[in-house]
Amino acid sequence: MSILTHGLDQPFQAERPAHISEARKAQLKRIALQAFALLSMGSVLTALIALRTAIYVWRLHT
């Protein structure tokens, strides 16, 4: 509601600064690393499937 009553002549600032606890930071870091690992595994799996397909097609045409 403070944004509705805030004057346009002064910059908007949060009523209190956002502080993230160390435990929350660690949890967010762990989630980010798990997401990165999952995406990396997906990329490796895709590369392996492409390699296997390429080998199959190469053997088929020789």
Side-chain angles (χ1 to χ4, degrees):
M1 290 300 293
S2 63
I3 197 166
L4 296 176
T5 59
H6 184 71
L8 297 176
D9 55 342
Q10 56 186 352
F12 182 77
Q13 294 181 354
E15 294 175 4
R16 63 178 179 89
H19 292 288
I20 300 175
S21 68
E22 293 300 319
R24 182 70 173 157
K25 284 182 186 178
Q27 182 184 18
L28 291 173
K29 186 176 181 180
R30 191 168 45 251
I31 290 171
L33 287 175
Q34 288 174 349
F36 178 72
L38 184 64
L39 290 173
S40 296
M41 285 188 294
S43 298
V44 169
L45 181 62
T46 302
L48 288 175
I49 291 171
L51 180 63
R52 186 174 177 188
T53 304
I55 291 171
Y56 175 76
V57 170
W58 180 60
R59 285 185 177 179
L60 188 67
H61 289 298
T62 56

